Amino acid sequence: MAGNSIGYIFTLTTFGESHGPALGGIIDGCPAGLKINLKTVNDDLNRRRPGQSEIVTQRNEADSVEFLSGIFKDKTTGTPIGFIIKNKDQKSKDYKHIMNSYRPSHADFVYDKKYGFRDYRGGGRSSARETVVRVVAGSIAKQLINPVKINAFVSSVGEISMDTDFSKVNFNNTEKSIVRCPDSKTAKKMEDLIKKTRKAGDTVGGIVSCVIRNVPIGLGEPVFNKLHSELGRAMLSINAVKGFEFGSGFKGSKMKGSEHNDIFTKDGKTKTNLSGGIQGGISNGMDIYFNVAFKPVSTIMKDQDTINSKGKSVKIKGKGRHDPCVVPRAVPIVEAMSAIVIADFYLLSKLSKI
C-alpha cells in the first residue's frame, strides 16, 4: 500500500489499523532544539479521543502517546520522531457480520477489489482511527510554527448552521460545547439533532470551518505546490471529507472582479479578504480561512441492501460503536492537518532566498 506519507520537508508517515495492537507515526524533518510541551500534545489527543461525550462513539481509548525517538529532555533532537498510540478497547467481534459483505458508501468494497483482501475489523486501515496519529504530528507542528494560530470549529450539522463571519466568531467558546460550535444557541440545536439522529439509527454530516492567523507572507509555491492546493489535499485525505473551499469559495464565482478584488492598503494588508489569505498560491499575510465538508458516516444501524464478496444481494445492518456525526471529533484533526501543511511550507520558505 502506497500513499501513507504527507509533506516535503516536515513529513509524516502513519501506520497501524483500527483493531491492531497500536497505531503510530514517524515525523521526519522537524528541526532540532524545539521544546515540546507533552501536555499540549495529550490535550489535543483528548479533544479527538473517542468516548468523550454522549454524541460520539463510546469506544473507550485513553489515546496516550508513547514517543520512541527524536525527543530528549523535552526537546527535538533533529532525528526522526517515532511514536505509537496503543489500542486498548477493540471489539473485533462486532464486525464479523461484515466479514464477507460490503457496507454501502464505505471503503470495504474498493479495498477488497484493489488488494484482494481486507481487514474488516473496524475498517482496518480505512478507519478514521488512523487520524489519531495525525493529531500527534499536528500538535508538534503547531509548536514549531508558533505564533501562527489555528482555530477550527463546527459551523454546520445537517441543515443547522451558524453565521461564519470569522471576525465575529468567539473561538474561546468552541470547547465549551460538546459539538464544538462556538455559538451556544446553534450548538444546542446541533446536539439535539445528533442525539435524535443517533436514536433513529442514522448518521448526519456537517462542516468544520477553520481560520489560520498570523501566517507570514510567502508560504506556498506558485505552480503545482500552491498553499491552498496542499491544504485542500490535506483536508481531503481525512476520512469522510467530501468538499473543501477556501476564501470566497463557490460564492466568488457569482461575483464581478470589481466586487471580488481585495484592495491593498499602504501597510500591504487588504481591505477585504475574499482571497482567503492566499494569492497566486502564496500566503499574503491575511487570515487564511476555509470550510471542510464531512459526509454522514456510512455505517448506520438500519437494514440496508448490499452485496457480498460473491456478488450476491444481502441485507446488512451496522453493529458496534460508531459516531452518529464525525464533525465534533474532526475539529482537532482539521487543525492538525493545517498545522502540518503550514509547518512544511514554513521550512520550505527557508529555501526561497538567501
Side-chain angles (χ1 to χ4, degrees):
M1 176 186 288
N4 295 292
S5 303
I6 188 170
Y8 299 97
I9 294 182
F10 186 97
T11 67
L12 169 67
T13 300
T14 75
F15 62 86
E17 292 80 34
S18 177
H19 284 233
L23 295 106
I26 298 174
I27 301 168
D28 203 0
C30 187
L34 176 66
K35 187 170 178 59
I36 300 298
N37 187 325
L38 298 178
K39 181 181 181 303
T40 298
V41 176
N42 281 304
D43 285 347
D44 282 337
L45 282 170
N46 283 333
R47 295 170 64 217
R48 196 220 71 99
R49 184 176 62 83
Q52 61 185 270
S53 76
E54 59 184 317
I55 64 169
V56 302
T57 173
Q58 294 305 295
R59 179 170 174 171
N60 186 17
E61 295 285 359
D63 282 354
S64 179
V65 61
E66 178 182 349
F67 287 101
L68 307 176
S69 63
I71 298 176
F72 179 63
K73 292 185 176 181
D74 294 338
K75 285 188 177 182
T76 57
T77 63
T79 60
I81 300 172
F83 60 92
I84 57 171
I85 302 100
K86 293 180 180 177
N87 290 322
K88 301 285 188 180
D89 190 34
Q90 311 99 309
K91 291 185 179 180
S92 301
K93 60 180 176 58
D94 288 343
Y95 296 90
K96 284 187 177 180
H97 69 292
I98 63 166
M99 184 186 304
N100 297 308
S101 299
Y102 307 123
R103 287 168 287 183
S105 289
H106 198 279
D108 293 338
F109 176 79
V110 290
Y111 262 60
D112 209 3
K113 295 302 178 183
K114 181 176 177 65
Y115 300 108
F117 179 78
R118 90 179 203 271
D119 183 349
Y120 60 85
R121 304 167 303 165
R125 187 75 176 140
S126 69
S127 170
R129 177 131 184 81
E130 179 269 345
T131 60
V132 69
V133 181
R134 307 181 189 208
V135 172
V136 175
S139 190
I140 290 175
K142 285 180 187 177
Q143 296 180 53
L144 172 63
I145 62 178
N146 186 51
V148 173
K149 300 296 181 186
I150 303 174
N151 294 101
F153 58 92
V154 175
S155 60
S156 173
V157 171
E159 295 297 322
I160 299 170
S161 59
M162 62 169 281
D163 179 12
T164 52
D165 181 345
F166 296 110
S167 65
K168 298 178 181 178
V169 175
N170 186 347
F171 301 114
N172 293 327
N173 288 339
T174 302
E175 297 300 317
K176 294 179 181 179
S177 159
I178 60 174
V179 185
R180 295 206 167 94
C181 172
D183 182 83
S184 58
K185 291 183 179 179
T186 307
K188 182 62 170 64
K189 293 178 182 178
M190 290 177 175
E191 183 180 339
D192 290 343
L193 175 59
I194 294 172
K195 289 178 179 178
K196 180 180 178 181
T197 303
R198 174 176 231 163
K199 189 174 181 180
D202 219 329
T203 59
V204 65
I207 295 173
V208 173
S209 298
C210 186
V211 182
I212 311 175
R213 295 170 290 169
N214 303 331
V215 180
I217 298 172
L219 301 191
E221 301 299 327
V223 185
F224 294 114
N225 300 339
K226 292 179 169 66
L227 179 54
H228 59 276
S229 69
E230 293 300 319
L231 284 169
R233 173 175 176 254
M235 297 307 137
L236 290 164
S237 76
I238 301 171
N239 308 62
V241 170
K242 301 298 284 187
F244 171 82
E245 67 169 356
F246 84 102
S248 61
F250 287 97
K251 291 180 182 178
S253 66
K254 300 177 182 179
M255 301 172 72
K256 295 178 181 178
S258 56
E259 299 171 311
H260 193 273
N261 288 344
D262 295 318
I263 304 302
F264 286 105
T265 56
K266 291 182 179 180
D267 59 2
K269 295 184 179 181
T270 56
K271 291 181 179 180
T272 55
N273 189 19
L274 294 168
S275 298
I278 303 173
Q279 294 171 329
I282 300 170
S283 61
N284 66 1
M286 300 293 287
D287 291 350
I288 296 171
Y289 61 94
F290 55 85
N291 297 314
V292 187
F294 288 80
K295 72 168 185 174
V297 176
S298 55
T299 303
I300 63 175
M301 303 303 161
K302 291 185 174 185
D303 288 340
Q304 296 185 90
D305 293 321
T306 189
I307 60 172
N308 62 21
S309 57
K310 295 181 179 179
K312 294 183 178 180
S313 296
V314 295
K315 288 278 187 181
I316 193 171
K317 184 175 183 177
K319 294 181 181 179
R321 301 160 296 177
H322 304 277
D323 291 273
C325 179
V326 297
V327 290
R329 292 176 60 214
V331 167
I333 302 167
V334 168
E335 291 180 358
M337 295 307 294
S338 300
I340 290 169
V341 172
I342 297 297
D344 196 28
F345 275 114
Y346 167 74
L347 295 175
L348 278 166
S349 69
K350 304 298 182 183
L351 305 176
S352 296
K353 60 183 178 181
I354 296 176

